[in-house]
PDB file of all heavy atoms in Angstrom:
ATOM      1  N   LEU A 413    -178.793 -11.772  11.592  1.00  0.00           N
ATOM      2  CA  LEU A 413    -178.124 -11.292  10.391  1.00  0.00           C
ATOM      3  C   LEU A 413    -177.816 -12.419   9.407  1.00  0.00           C
ATOM      4  O   LEU A 413    -177.512 -13.542   9.800  1.00  0.00           O
ATOM      5  CB  LEU A 413    -176.813 -10.600  10.759  1.00  0.00           C
ATOM      6  CG  LEU A 413    -176.919  -9.322  11.603  1.00  0.00           C
ATOM      7  CD1 LEU A 413    -175.542  -8.951  12.147  1.00  0.00           C
ATOM      8  CD2 LEU A 413    -177.514  -8.178  10.794  1.00  0.00           C
ATOM      9  N   LYS A 414    -177.853 -12.087   8.136  1.00  0.00           N
ATOM     10  CA  LYS A 414    -177.343 -12.976   7.097  1.00  0.00           C
ATOM     11  C   LYS A 414    -175.820 -13.059   7.208  1.00  0.00           C
ATOM     12  O   LYS A 414    -175.196 -12.304   7.966  1.00  0.00           O
ATOM     13  CB  LYS A 414    -177.674 -12.415   5.705  1.00  0.00           C
ATOM     14  CG  LYS A 414    -179.141 -12.339   5.343  1.00  0.00           C
ATOM     15  CD  LYS A 414    -179.271 -11.703   3.964  1.00  0.00           C
ATOM     16  CE  LYS A 414    -180.705 -11.586   3.510  1.00  0.00           C
ATOM     17  NZ  LYS A 414    -180.802 -10.884   2.191  1.00  0.00           N
ATOM     18  N   ARG A 415    -175.224 -13.936   6.433  1.00  0.00           N
ATOM     19  CA  ARG A 415    -173.769 -13.895   6.287  1.00  0.00           C
ATOM     20  C   ARG A 415    -173.369 -12.512   5.786  1.00  0.00           C
ATOM     21  O   ARG A 415    -173.998 -11.938   4.908  1.00  0.00           O
ATOM     22  CB  ARG A 415    -173.299 -14.962   5.283  1.00  0.00           C
ATOM     23  CG  ARG A 415    -171.811 -14.853   4.939  1.00  0.00           C
ATOM     24  CD  ARG A 415    -171.361 -15.948   3.991  1.00  0.00           C
ATOM     25  NE  ARG A 415    -172.226 -16.138   2.859  1.00  0.00           N
ATOM     26  CZ  ARG A 415    -172.186 -15.404   1.746  1.00  0.00           C
ATOM     27  NH1 ARG A 415    -171.334 -14.397   1.640  1.00  0.00           N
ATOM     28  NH2 ARG A 415    -173.007 -15.666   0.754  1.00  0.00           N
ATOM     29  N   ASP A 416    -172.340 -11.944   6.379  1.00  0.00           N
ATOM     30  CA  ASP A 416    -171.810 -10.624   6.047  1.00  0.00           C
ATOM     31  C   ASP A 416    -172.723  -9.474   6.481  1.00  0.00           C
ATOM     32  O   ASP A 416    -172.496  -8.320   6.109  1.00  0.00           O
ATOM     33  CB  ASP A 416    -171.484 -10.486   4.553  1.00  0.00           C
ATOM     34  CG  ASP A 416    -170.342 -11.372   4.118  1.00  0.00           C
ATOM     35  OD1 ASP A 416    -169.402 -11.545   4.925  1.00  0.00           O
ATOM     36  OD2 ASP A 416    -170.379 -11.898   2.988  1.00  0.00           O
ATOM     37  N   GLY A 417    -173.736  -9.768   7.280  1.00  0.00           N
ATOM     38  CA  GLY A 417    -174.599  -8.701   7.786  1.00  0.00           C
ATOM     39  C   GLY A 417    -173.936  -7.930   8.909  1.00  0.00           C
ATOM     40  O   GLY A 417    -172.980  -8.391   9.540  1.00  0.00           O
ATOM     41  N   THR A 418    -174.459  -6.736   9.179  1.00  0.00           N
ATOM     42  CA  THR A 418    -173.892  -5.855  10.207  1.00  0.00           C
ATOM     43  C   THR A 418    -174.957  -5.410  11.193  1.00  0.00           C
ATOM     44  O   THR A 418    -176.058  -5.000  10.795  1.00  0.00           O
ATOM     45  CB  THR A 418    -173.244  -4.612   9.567  1.00  0.00           C
ATOM     46  OG1 THR A 418    -172.173  -5.018   8.719  1.00  0.00           O
ATOM     47  CG2 THR A 418    -172.696  -3.659  10.632  1.00  0.00           C
ATOM     48  N   LEU A 419    -174.621  -5.489  12.474  1.00  0.00           N
ATOM     49  CA  LEU A 419    -175.414  -4.898  13.547  1.00  0.00           C
ATOM     50  C   LEU A 419    -174.697  -3.623  13.974  1.00  0.00           C
ATOM     51  O   LEU A 419    -173.552  -3.670  14.429  1.00  0.00           O
ATOM     52  CB  LEU A 419    -175.517  -5.869  14.731  1.00  0.00           C
ATOM     53  CG  LEU A 419    -176.106  -5.319  16.035  1.00  0.00           C
ATOM     54  CD1 LEU A 419    -177.566  -4.931  15.862  1.00  0.00           C
ATOM     55  CD2 LEU A 419    -175.959  -6.345  17.167  1.00  0.00           C
ATOM     56  N   CYS A 420    -175.335  -2.480  13.805  1.00  0.00           N
ATOM     57  CA  CYS A 420    -174.710  -1.195  14.105  1.00  0.00           C
ATOM     58  C   CYS A 420    -175.367  -0.569  15.328  1.00  0.00           C
ATOM     59  O   CYS A 420    -176.592  -0.427  15.384  1.00  0.00           O
ATOM     60  CB  CYS A 420    -174.827  -0.255  12.908  1.00  0.00           C
ATOM     61  SG  CYS A 420    -174.087   1.365  13.194  1.00  0.00           S
ATOM     62  N   LEU A 421    -174.538  -0.171  16.275  1.00  0.00           N
ATOM     63  CA  LEU A 421    -175.012   0.418  17.525  1.00  0.00           C
ATOM     64  C   LEU A 421    -174.877   1.939  17.485  1.00  0.00           C
ATOM     65  O   LEU A 421    -173.822   2.463  17.144  1.00  0.00           O
ATOM     66  CB  LEU A 421    -174.196  -0.122  18.705  1.00  0.00           C
ATOM     67  CG  LEU A 421    -174.023  -1.648  18.788  1.00  0.00           C
ATOM     68  CD1 LEU A 421    -173.149  -2.004  19.981  1.00  0.00           C
ATOM     69  CD2 LEU A 421    -175.362  -2.346  18.865  1.00  0.00           C
ATOM     70  N   VAL A 422    -175.951   2.629  17.831  1.00  0.00           N
ATOM     71  CA  VAL A 422    -175.892   4.091  17.926  1.00  0.00           C
ATOM     72  C   VAL A 422    -176.356   4.588  19.291  1.00  0.00           C
ATOM     73  O   VAL A 422    -176.265   5.783  19.583  1.00  0.00           O
ATOM     74  CB  VAL A 422    -176.708   4.786  16.810  1.00  0.00           C
ATOM     75  CG1 VAL A 422    -176.062   4.546  15.457  1.00  0.00           C
ATOM     76  CG2 VAL A 422    -178.159   4.324  16.803  1.00  0.00           C
ATOM     77  N   GLY A 423    -176.852   3.695  20.135  1.00  0.00           N
ATOM     78  CA  GLY A 423    -177.230   4.061  21.494  1.00  0.00           C
ATOM     79  C   GLY A 423    -176.105   3.750  22.462  1.00  0.00           C
ATOM     80  O   GLY A 423    -175.488   2.686  22.388  1.00  0.00           O
ATOM     81  N   VAL A 424    -175.812   4.672  23.368  1.00  0.00           N
ATOM     82  CA  VAL A 424    -174.752   4.470  24.362  1.00  0.00           C
ATOM     83  C   VAL A 424    -175.402   4.028  25.673  1.00  0.00           C
ATOM     84  O   VAL A 424    -176.144   4.799  26.290  1.00  0.00           O
ATOM     85  CB  VAL A 424    -173.938   5.756  24.582  1.00  0.00           C
ATOM     86  CG1 VAL A 424    -172.854   5.527  25.624  1.00  0.00           C
ATOM     87  CG2 VAL A 424    -173.328   6.228  23.267  1.00  0.00           C
ATOM     88  N   PRO A 425    -175.141   2.778  26.129  1.00  0.00           N
ATOM     89  CA  PRO A 425    -175.813   2.275  27.335  1.00  0.00           C
ATOM     90  C   PRO A 425    -175.214   2.847  28.609  1.00  0.00           C
ATOM     91  O   PRO A 425    -174.099   3.371  28.619  1.00  0.00           O
ATOM     92  CB  PRO A 425    -175.576   0.765  27.248  1.00  0.00           C
ATOM     93  CG  PRO A 425    -174.276   0.643  26.521  1.00  0.00           C
ATOM     94  CD  PRO A 425    -174.259   1.776  25.524  1.00  0.00           C
ATOM     95  N   GLU A 426    -175.968   2.705  29.690  1.00  0.00           N
ATOM     96  CA  GLU A 426    -175.503   3.219  30.983  1.00  0.00           C
ATOM     97  C   GLU A 426    -174.344   2.386  31.527  1.00  0.00           C
ATOM     98  O   GLU A 426    -173.531   2.868  32.304  1.00  0.00           O
ATOM     99  CB  GLU A 426    -176.668   3.244  31.990  1.00  0.00           C
ATOM    100  CG  GLU A 426    -177.096   1.900  32.567  1.00  0.00           C
ATOM    101  CD  GLU A 426    -177.869   1.002  31.605  1.00  0.00           C
ATOM    102  OE1 GLU A 426    -178.005   1.334  30.416  1.00  0.00           O
ATOM    103  OE2 GLU A 426    -178.328  -0.077  32.063  1.00  0.00           O
TER     104      GLU A 426
END
Side-chain angles (χ1 to χ4, degrees):
L413 296 167
K414 295 177 180 177
R415 172 178 47 82
D416 293 324
T418 298
L419 170 65
C420 180
L421 311 178
V422 292
V424 179
E426 75 286 6

